[in-house]
Amino acid sequence: MAIPLKAARLCRLARRTVTSHSASQTTSLPERRCYISTSTGNNLQFKLNELTAHSSLDLFKKETGIIYRMLGLDPSRLPDNPERFRDWSVVFGDEKVSSGRHYFEVTVKKSQEFRVGVADAAMSRDDCVGTNSSSWVFGYAQRKWFAMTNNKIIPVTLVGKPDRIGILLDYEAGVLGLVDVIQPTIIHTIKAQFKDPLCPAFGLWDGEMLTHSGLEEPEGLK
């Protein structure tokens, strides 16, 4: 399938119904395994789950940050683990969300390509976040922001390149929002029908990323 942004690291497809707001488009979307504790309240607090981390990603800062290593570890030297992402530089948070409204932030340094959002805990480890119907992300590549799910990319404008961004998840409302942490305001939303437990999800192809969880949602976000 052709997509407007040149994305060499995109994978596959799949099914569920999703509308992305800002440049309203509707796309059709299904689902798909689980682990760790489940969060049902607000103030989601998590660390990065090393068991899921691709071999090119090193965890640091007490497992709240990741650094991309171009060569990374030799996958054949890692323990055989079905939770690990095999082909894509992706890692999940170690908490699952099945209800509630949650907010977290990320700080990005020296990176020109990354993705941040949520994904079904049982998402296939052969896919990349954003390329299937089990993940919803905001990404940055080629100096442009975009919203992505099911291999559909929708440009997100008027963002610039902030070092720190926020992610707001409202499970029952089926909303994932990209938040300007300075204002604070919601820049763009992805709407979906969440049915399965979700994990915070991150992709990184250069530089480093630090996650900030256990935060109060900024006042005034709708």
Side-chain angles (χ1 to χ4, degrees), residues 108-140:
V108 182
K109 295 182 180 179
K110 302 176 184 176
S111 179
Q112 296 300 315
E113 186 171 1
F114 57 87
R115 295 178 194 170
V116 181
V118 297
D120 285 352
M123 174 185 145
S124 170
R125 299 313 195 250
D126 293 321
D127 290 350
C128 186
V129 288
T131 65
N132 57 25
S133 62
S134 304
S135 53
W136 304 262
V137 296
F138 296 102
Y140 182 83

Side-chain angles (χ1 to χ4, degrees), residues 36-87:
I36 329 288
S37 57
T38 301
S39 176
T40 56
N42 296 334
N43 293 2
L44 171 67
Q45 187 145 14
F46 63 87
K47 291 186 176 182
L48 299 174
N49 183 0
E50 189 171 9
L51 292 176
T52 66
H54 184 264
S55 59
S56 65
L57 298 176
D58 284 350
L59 275 60
F60 74 105
K61 200 89 171 174
K62 297 183 178 178
E63 300 180 334
T64 62
I66 45 174
I67 297 176
Y68 176 79
R69 308 287 188 195
M70 185 173 287
L71 297 179
L73 297 173
D74 180 352
S76 66
R77 299 174 68 92
L78 294 171
D80 186 20
N81 172 23
E83 296 298 336
R84 190 180 306 283
F85 281 90
R86 292 175 274 277
D87 299 320

Side-chain angles (χ1 to χ4, degrees), residues 25-39:
Q25 286 190 11
T26 303
T27 187
S28 179
L29 286 126
E31 41 219 45
R32 259 183 74 93
R33 159 174 132 214
C34 275
Y35 59 102
I36 329 288
S37 57
T38 301
S39 176

